[in-house]
Amino acid sequence: MADILASLRSLMASQSPPLDALLVPSEDYHQSEYVSARDKRREFVSGFTGSAGLALITKNEARLWTDGRYFLQATQQLSDQWKLMRIGEDPPVDAWMSDNLQKEAAIGIDPWCVSVDTAQRWERAFAKKNQKLVQTSTNLIDEIWKNRPPAEINPAVDHPLEFAGRSVAEKLKALREKLSSEKARGIIITTLDEVAWLYNIRGSDVSYSPVVHAFAIVTLNSAFLYLDKRKVSSKVSSSLQANGIEVRQYGAVSSDAAMLASNQLDQATGVNSGQNGVCQNDTCDNDLIWVDPASCCYALFSRLDANKLLLQQSPLALAKALKNPVELDGLKNAHIRDGAAVVQYLVWLDKQMQEIYGASGYFLEGEVTSKKIPNAPCREAMKLTEVSVSDKLEGFRASKEHFRGLSFPTISSVGPNAAIIHYSPQAKTCAELDPNSIYLFDSGAQYLDGTTDITRTVHFGKPSAHEKACYTSVLKGHIALGNARFPNGTNGYSLDILARIPLWRYGLDYRHGTGHGIGSYLNVHEGPHQISFRPQARNVPLQVSMTVTDEPGYYEDGNFGIRLENLLVIKEAETEFNFGDKGYLSFEHITWAPYQIKLIDLSILTPEEIQWLNRYHLKCREILGPYLDTNEMEWLKKATEPMKG
């Protein structure tokens, strides 16, 4: 790590002007949360593997900012060359740079990896000391990364209408109508899932996310897709052409953005998607270019005329979040198959924990009788690790219809590791399962008809009274949020408190948001809405046909972690009254897997909560039954026996 920082500082000093600091974000050219191996620049330079973080390297310091999900992980992974900066507790990066770097300091960025919003926020902070943001001509990390993974040529594929639910023609027509209503003549689309959704294509350029590295530009009469042309088969090319979409090389987006700004792009290409266009002549007075400042990179923004930009959230973000009936049916079906896989996993794991470790098992609270696992060399072959059991879970999912892979790296965590919110077990260093410790698994899959994300927390031995109280408090918050009714116009910021109140009663809390949207065979984390204490959760109200997770938790460093997660669909609520004629909304659970009854302290639950749990568990039996064999169904019946308060 010291050699990497030394090489980087030498390169920084050789720039013109010499750089006093360099910012290395987590994101790629598309502001993606999850990036390909060759785009993990911040991980390479810092050694921190979490999905969110920002590295700052100065002449004599190296600091990393990350959020509460990763405080413990970053503490463990950062070398003594680095200092951890806790977002929400320590000064934000722009304030720290403004206060601690010298007057007129030059701070370098790769403008392709930084959003417009972020770059402009930094520039405002730098103004008081005449510090300047310097756009480097190349990425300095790439220059010192000797074994950087090569770019892969993974094929783009069509996403069939039977799963997409809306045609490309329909989506382009709606987008162009939105452009026209906002006096815009074109839009630059930079986020990978928006490009994939709009053009009904999928790919495998990013692990766990079925997307293609691509940009798109759509005008009132034309449409363009920018990607490595080697990824486009004749079949995909034909379907794109049928919708008036011209395929261009990935790197051409920069020059085409400049041509779009000067109103020359349509004329230069001669492409006109006539059946989808809304402006068929030169009489349109639309003159703005729509750019989403939160996702468009600063490099493309710099090619445009700042006086003729519409800087607001992409219209595709909300359109993609509002699932159509086909997508909703697909998500529900995917979650049924996924729930069956989770139950099959629990049945298998319960048996293994009893046979190998002498655990009392999923249902009983006895002490471990004796460790039945033999000594080496047989021990290594028999023992269960966080990675080996998560591989087994993946196997159960892989047997299901339409399975295409995992939707994120499985968080399979035992005891103290479960307190690391986004823990990522590694085969060589992961823990062995322990019948005396809590086991948390947060996992999901990509199916052609939907993306899944579920978390359950279990104990195969005798949980302590404290563990039960914490689990039940998390469960109470989970139930409270899932049963909420709220008026139209309510945002996720307003609802977040519902999941925390049972924990607050004991002086407990958690450092992450409570819910995020999920894609339809797309990204497992999808906006623009969310349920969170963070201010951005105020930006978009929750609306009918959105999906959102319900996942409160509690984490005790060095001891255990608890999280419970279901996916919810927002629907209209049936209420006796309709105050203000607003209309009211509620949630529908579409995740099906039991909550472990022996971890529940029934004395803490209300009769209404017990009644809800019993109804939910009965539905688990009914819905998952057709996907389970006789033994698995008997286990599920036992796991969902009615509780009595």
Side-chain angles (χ1 to χ4, degrees), residues 32-45:
S32 306
E33 177 186 14
Y34 295 110
V35 300
S36 65
R38 71 191 318 265
D39 289 325
K40 293 182 178 180
R41 300 176 177 93
R42 189 227 62 227
E43 179 180 323
F44 168 76
V45 76

Side-chain angles (χ1 to χ4, degrees), residues 300-592:
L300 288 178
F301 171 81
S302 300
R303 305 301 300 264
L304 305 172
D305 182 347
N307 296 316
K308 293 185 177 181
L309 293 181
L310 177 63
L311 290 172
Q312 63 185 38
Q313 186 177 78
S314 166
L316 299 183
L318 181 59
K320 176 167 51 64
L322 297 172
K323 302 295 186 273
N324 64 56
V326 171
E327 290 174 319
L328 285 176
D329 285 345
L331 280 163
K332 291 175 182 179
N333 290 332
H335 278 80
I336 292 171
R337 298 192 303 276
D338 202 66
V342 169
V343 169
Q344 290 169 329
Y345 173 61
L346 286 171
V347 173
W348 172 83
L349 187 56
D350 184 19
K351 182 180 180 182
Q352 298 299 306
M353 292 300 292
Q354 292 181 63
E355 292 183 351
I356 297 175
Y357 295 98
S360 55
Y362 187 90
F363 300 108
L364 301 177
E365 287 195 52
E367 302 287 349
V368 175
T369 54
S370 63
K371 285 211 171 185
K372 299 181 181 180
I373 189 166
N375 293 324
C378 296
R379 187 180 198 285
E380 285 302 310
M382 289 182 66
K383 76 175 184 179
L384 302 177
T385 70
E386 293 165 328
V387 168
S388 69
V389 296
S390 69
D391 288 345
K392 187 70 175 181
L393 174 55
E394 182 176 357
F396 284 117
R397 284 192 163 108
S399 70
K400 301 296 180 279
E401 185 182 19
H402 300 320
F403 177 81
R404 288 296 180 272
L406 300 182
S407 55
F408 59 97
T410 297
I411 300 169
S412 174
S413 51
V414 176
N417 290 340
I420 303 173
I421 297 170
H422 271 206
Y423 173 70
S424 180
Q426 304 299 314
K428 292 183 178 180
T429 58
C430 68
E432 184 174 358
L433 264 64
D434 180 356
N436 295 311
S437 296
I438 273 179
Y439 172 61
L440 181 158
F441 62 104
D442 183 347
S443 61
Q446 295 287 2
Y447 302 94
L448 283 174
D449 53 351
T451 303
T452 67
D453 185 2
I454 175 176
T455 308
R456 288 295 184 266
T457 303
V458 295
H459 199 302
F460 293 101
K462 185 176 176 61
S464 69
H466 176 57
E467 288 171 331
K468 286 185 177 183
C470 293
Y471 180 94
T472 309
S473 298
V474 171
L475 178 60
K476 284 172 72 74
H478 176 77
I479 294 171
L481 177 58
N483 286 340
R485 292 186 179 187
F486 48 96
N488 268 305
T490 302
N491 56 45
Y493 185 87
S494 302
L495 297 184
D496 181 76
I497 189 175
L498 297 177
R500 298 179 191 271
I501 286 175
L503 287 161
W504 287 355
R505 181 180 176 188
Y506 296 98
L508 305 177
D509 205 347
Y510 52 96
R511 286 192 177 104
H512 58 76
T514 305
H516 58 83
I518 282 186
S520 181
Y521 187 40
L522 271 176
N523 291 350
V524 71
H525 293 159
E526 181 177 271
H529 60 292
Q530 57 181 294
I531 298 176
S532 177
F533 59 91
R534 296 186 176 91
Q536 55 263 44
R538 296 190 183 105
N539 294 347
V540 179
L542 301 176
Q543 299 170 46
V544 170
S545 80
M546 283 179 169
T547 62
V548 67
T549 59
D550 173 2
E551 50 178 313
Y554 172 65
Y555 312 90
E556 203 163 278
D557 288 357
N559 292 319
F560 63 85
I562 296 163
R563 186 163 60 253
L564 297 170
E565 177 184 19
N566 280 7
L567 184 64
L568 312 174
V569 172
I570 301 172
K571 63 178 184 177
E572 292 182 354
E574 295 181 7
T575 55
E576 185 176 355
F577 304 103
N578 184 18
F579 181 80
D581 292 325
K582 290 183 175 181
Y584 283 71
L585 305 177
S586 62
F587 296 115
E588 174 188 354
H589 285 259
I590 66 170
T591 298
W592 306 107

